[in-house]
Structures are given as structure tokens and as C-alpha cells.
């Protein structure tokens, strides 16, 4: 599974604006919801699941998230303010 920073949304924003989460999934295929600035949940288009698209295991997602966080830490810190 590819993780794109355009697919990331905080849990508080997802809670307040679920239609935004749905829009991200409609446009990108998946949305990653962050909890405490770390990827926690993945929402994907049901058709992807039915087509048998492989979903990465937790270790793969954690490794990808760590790389993204390291690469974009300044942006995440600014967004967390």
C-alpha cells in the first residue's frame, strides 16, 4: 500500500469532518487517520478490498509512517500547533 501525505488527516479533523475523509478516499483510494501525530487507522475504498488489493501489514505501515514522519517532521510540527 502506498502512503501519500495528501491522504493524511488528523483524528480530530476526521471526527469533525467525516465528509472530508470520504472525499479523500473517493479521490485517492485511501485515507490515513493520524492519532497523536502517528498513523493509526486506514480507510480504503470498499472496491479495493473486494478486488483483493493487498493491504500492508502493521510493520510495513509503521516503517512507511516513520519514513514519512522523519522526512516531513517540520511540516507535521507546524500542523500540530
Amino acid at each position: 500500500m502506498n502512503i501519500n501525505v495528501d491522504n493524511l488527516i488528523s483524528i480530530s479533523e476526521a471526527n469533525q469532518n467525516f465528509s472530508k475523509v470520504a472525499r479523500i478516499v473517493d479521490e485517492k483510494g485511501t485515507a490515513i487517520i493520524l492519532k497523536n501525530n502517528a498513523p493509526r487507522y486506514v480507510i480504503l475504498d470498499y472496491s479495493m478490498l473486494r478486488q483483493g488489493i493487498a493491504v500492508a501489514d502493521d510493520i510495513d505501515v509503521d516503517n512507511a509512517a516513520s519514513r514519512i514522519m522523519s522526512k516531513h517532521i517540520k511540516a507535521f510540527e507546524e500542523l500540530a500547533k
Side-chain angles (χ1 to χ4, degrees), residues 40-76:
R40 178 68 180 212
Y41 307 103
V42 176
I43 299 180
L44 62 129
D45 188 295
Y46 185 72
S47 65
M48 291 177 68
L49 185 65
R50 292 204 58 204
Q51 292 172 9
I53 305 283
V55 176
D57 63 23
D58 289 344
I59 293 172
D60 291 337
V61 172
D62 287 343
N63 289 338
S66 293
R67 286 193 310 270
I68 290 168
M69 293 296 289
S70 297
K71 184 176 179 180
H72 302 286
I73 191 68
K74 291 184 185 210
F76 287 115

Side-chain angles (χ1 to χ4, degrees), residues 23-52:
R23 193 168 40 254
I24 290 170
V25 173
D26 287 342
E27 292 172 3
K28 309 288 184 185
T30 60
I32 310 294
I33 298 178
L34 304 172
K35 185 173 183 181
N36 298 323
N37 290 327
R40 178 68 180 212
Y41 307 103
V42 176
I43 299 180
L44 62 129
D45 188 295
Y46 185 72
S47 65
M48 291 177 68
L49 185 65
R50 292 204 58 204
Q51 292 172 9

